[in-house]
Amino acid sequence: MHDDLIARAQAWLAEDPDPETRDELAKLIAAGDVTELADRFAGTLQFGTAGLRGEIGAGPMRMNRTVVIRAAAGLAAYLKKHGHDNGLVVIGYDARHKSEDFARDTAAVMTGAGLRAAVLPRPLPTPVLAYAIRHLGAAAGVEVTASHNPPRDNGYKVYLGDGSQIVPPADIDIAAEIAAVPSLAAVPRPESGWETLDDSVLDAYLARTDAVLAPDSPRTARTVYTAMHGVGKDVLLAAFERAGFPAPALVAEQADPDPDFPTVAFPNPEEPGAMDLAFAKARETDPDLVIANDPDADRCAVAVKDGEDWRMLRGDEVGSLLAAHLVNRGAQGTFAESIVSSSLLGRIAEKAGLPYEETLTGFKWIARVDGLRYGYEEALGYCVDPEGVRDKDGITAALLITELASVLKAEGRTLLDLLDDLAVEHGLHATDQLSVRVQDLSVIADAMRQLREQPPTELAGLAITRAEDLTQGTETLPPTDGLRYTLDGARVIVRPSGTEPKLKCYLEVVVPVAAHDGLPAARATAADLLATIKRDLSAAAGI
């Protein structure tokens, strides 16, 4: 076993084109570090519907140039089998470690396979790549990003020509082509032959951002903005300037790209502490709202002043605010969200007489809804211009929420006032999440098994009226690894995360409210119910 492991590591080393990971692997082999080598050679990073994502390092279980070259070769083979012999592949990348190398390798592989490749001019937000695919009529797109993962990670996201991320069976077919790549030597990688795009694609994207706003809307709301050490700043500032909003006050410590993300434990606005610097800036400048993008700027977080201090709005709160704003502006088309997002969207759409659809988790599903006008997911993802970007877009979402804040400001109101109105109109929809990060993935499998074998019959004293195992699929949803419990006045969904080692439980309670003066009591009831459901669910899952 030990000899076999060393032999596999040496074979990998002989192929590795990257001096840094070669050096790293050579040292592990020389030191005979069997534990570390076994971890890196335990299999291969699995190419799934999120593409690839993992820690940067040497070996098949890490993100590195060898893994990326093989992935690109598999994608190229898949595209050619599907009739895209001379198809264009657009490649974007963020500012993480190795992102530019992975983008360049992908361009070389596509060119070597006889496809055309075009690379965005520099690190840019993921939505610019999603836009470029449709704008340039590409057969596919690749974005090198690990979104809001820890600094040591990178990833590889694949889009097909409709501009949305891959869904099954494309992921399985591409994975099979990747597995069939015999060796790196068999993959031609010319030194040139691809195009590096100029700023015209970015300019075209920015020109479209205006379209998300009403032509004569007020543009007065003042913002504090953080790019969370990512690539959002320049594009967001340009979009805000075009729109005529006041220039956002920047969180200077987080404004420029830095792959080490020095001021945050996790570069995700939802993580505890990630917004501390933004809130400090807000206390200093007293804006109308705080806006944050995640590092690749496809997500948008919003914070507001609540009483004396600042608080993050939940993704579901922003999702319903944007929906209410679009309805108010007379938007037509289907409103869609994932099953883990708040059911309030369905109520807003129903009252407005608009079609509504629920999909599996992930924008790859939301983006495919027929006639989509607006889609959102509770994890801070909003699609407000599906004709331009069929994916979540943290830049256009920031513009739209700032427009809404400006409209309300003109009426002497705030985003919180509108949330109160929605609660009185449709019931208080309160959501929360129980999220457990694990070192050992078997903990997640055990929890799912325990819930399937011994399903709870009630949570927080509320009877479970319907329990669904989503691995079977439903009338409207394809199969997925998840459990959904419908309770009297509440809903719970439990699923393993698709991109991180986490078990995620999504909770929602709905408390009727007769009038505005009933809101404080309804909030107290909701908070109490959510806390109790969380406790009971933890016990039932054994976590």
Side-chain angles (χ1 to χ4, degrees):
M1 171 64 200
H2 176 244
D3 291 348
D4 171 55
L5 181 62
I6 297 293
R8 279 190 294 141
Q10 282 168 334
W12 185 275
L13 182 64
E15 270 199 336
D16 190 342
D18 186 334
E20 282 182 44
T21 45
R22 247 198 343 259
D23 184 47
E24 185 186 311
L25 188 55
K27 283 178 177 153
L28 291 172
I29 294 169
D33 190 338
V34 180
T35 311
E36 185 62 26
L37 287 169
D39 185 44
R40 289 162 183 249
F41 286 83
T44 54
L45 268 190
Q46 287 306 297
F47 185 91
T49 48
L52 294 165
R53 208 178 276 190
E55 191 176 336
I56 294 172
M61 287 298 286
R62 298 285 187 271
M63 280 297 294
N64 50 63
R65 290 183 58 197
T66 305
V67 163
V68 164
I69 289 164
R70 285 175 168 273
L75 175 60
Y78 169 87
L79 290 170
K80 289 168 80 170
K81 272 195 181 164
H82 285 77
H84 299 293
D85 286 340
N86 188 36
L88 173 67
V89 179
V90 195
I91 302 149
Y93 58 101
D94 67 9
R96 282 178 179 265
H97 293 296
K98 304 266 181 208
S99 285
E100 192 171 356
D101 295 344
F102 296 166
R104 194 178 53 246
D105 282 331
T106 302
V109 171
M110 296 302 161
T111 305
L115 295 154
R116 291 176 296 132
V119 185
L120 291 179
R122 58 185 169 282
L124 285 165
T126 294
V128 177
L129 181 272
Y131 169 78
I133 295 163
R134 289 164 71 88
H135 179 67
L136 298 171
V142 170
E143 176 72 19
V144 180
T145 181
S147 190
H148 55 271
N149 274 39
R152 61 178 185 276
D153 289 5
N154 213 331
Y156 198 80
K157 200 186 271 194
V158 175
Y159 296 75
L160 292 179
D162 62 354
S164 50
Q165 296 174 50
I166 53 167
V167 294
D171 56 337
I172 297 147
D173 296 347
I174 295 168
E177 297 292 350
I178 295 170
V181 176
S183 69
L184 247 55
V187 181
R189 300 201 312 280
E191 293 290 311
S192 61
W194 58 89
E195 182 187 358
T196 300
L197 295 164
D198 60 16
D199 275 359
S200 57
V201 169
L202 175 60
D203 293 341
Y205 167 82
L206 283 168
R208 260 207 87 89
T209 60
D210 302 355
V212 306
L213 303 174
D216 50 358
S217 60
R219 312 273 166 98
T220 55
R222 291 171 48 253
T223 54
V224 158
Y225 172 70
T226 174
M228 208 64 65
H229 299 296
V231 298
K233 179 193 72 173
D234 292 347
V235 179
L236 181 124
L237 290 181
F240 269 58
E241 188 179 358
R242 285 183 69 102
F245 287 113
L250 297 178
V251 178
E253 303 92 327
Q254 298 174 333
D256 294 316
D258 186 331
D260 294 319
F261 305 104
T263 67
V264 285
F266 287 96
N268 176 357
E270 291 181 294
E271 292 282 349
M275 295 290 285
D276 288 356
L277 289 169
F279 291 164
K281 187 74 178 176
R283 290 181 201 112
E284 211 179 286
T285 57
D286 198 31
D288 297 297
L289 69 167
V290 174
I291 286 173
N293 284 138
D294 67 337
D296 68 326
D298 62 352
R299 287 178 169 81
C300 175
V302 180
V304 293
K305 197 165 189 184
D306 191 359
E308 287 307 298
D309 210 358
W310 289 82
R311 80 165 172 97
M312 271 269 289
L313 293 178
R314 303 191 72 87
D316 283 318
E317 292 177 308
V318 177
S320 54
L321 285 169
L322 290 175
H325 182 42
L326 288 169
V327 164
N328 201 33
R329 274 182 26 189
Q332 293 297 311
T334 303
F335 279 31
E337 65 180 339
S338 61
I339 54 170
V340 298
S341 306
S342 168
S343 58
L344 178 55
L345 184 70
R347 298 209 161 93
I348 292 170
E350 186 184 7
K351 180 145 194 201
L354 294 173
Y356 163 78
E357 274 197 43
E358 225 180 22
T359 73
L360 290 185
T361 312
F363 262 83
K364 55 185 180 275
W365 298 108
I366 295 170
R368 287 186 152 68
V369 167
D370 278 348
L372 182 68
R373 173 58 187 89
Y374 168 65
Y376 98 89
E377 183 150 81
E378 54 68 51
L380 312 183
Y382 315 94
C383 173
V384 301
D385 175 26
E387 288 310 302
V389 176
R390 288 198 89 79
D391 197 7
K392 54 189 177 290
D393 182 345
I395 306 292
T396 47
L399 286 170
L400 198 61
I401 197 75
T402 308
E403 176 183 63
L404 173 57
S406 301
V407 169
L408 291 166
K409 187 178 181 177
E411 299 167 357
R413 284 155 46 83
T414 67
L415 295 174
L416 291 178
D417 294 326
L418 180 52
L419 282 172
D420 287 351
D421 292 350
L422 290 170
V424 172
E425 191 174 354
H426 302 285
L428 176 72
H429 289 61
T431 55
D432 201 359
Q433 205 184 104
L434 170 64
S435 182
V436 185
R437 187 180 286 273
V438 299
Q439 290 296 316
D440 176 1
L441 286 174
S442 69
V443 173
I444 294 177
D446 291 346
M448 293 299 286
R449 186 170 60 246
Q450 182 160 328
L451 287 170
R452 284 190 168 107
E453 288 172 1
Q454 299 168 313
T457 53
E458 62 165 43
L459 295 168
L462 302 174
I464 291 176
T465 54
R466 188 165 167 209
E468 297 166 280
D469 188 339
L470 299 176
T471 43
Q472 310 303 310
T474 71
E475 282 171 27
T476 53
L477 298 169
T480 186
D481 185 9
L483 298 163
R484 176 162 63 179
Y485 303 118
T486 306
L487 299 87
D488 192 15
R491 183 212 65 196
V492 172
I493 290 171
V494 184
R495 61 179 278 273
S497 166
T499 51
E500 297 175 274
K502 281 182 175 179
L503 180 68
K504 290 186 157 183
C505 311
Y506 303 84
L507 326 174
E508 178 177 47
V509 299
V510 184
V511 181
V513 193
H516 281 77
D517 59 8
L519 280 167
R523 286 209 173 88
T525 302
D528 191 38
L529 273 172
L530 286 169
T532 315
I533 290 174
K534 220 184 240 193
R535 188 195 66 208
D536 292 357
L537 188 62
S538 294
I543 46 175

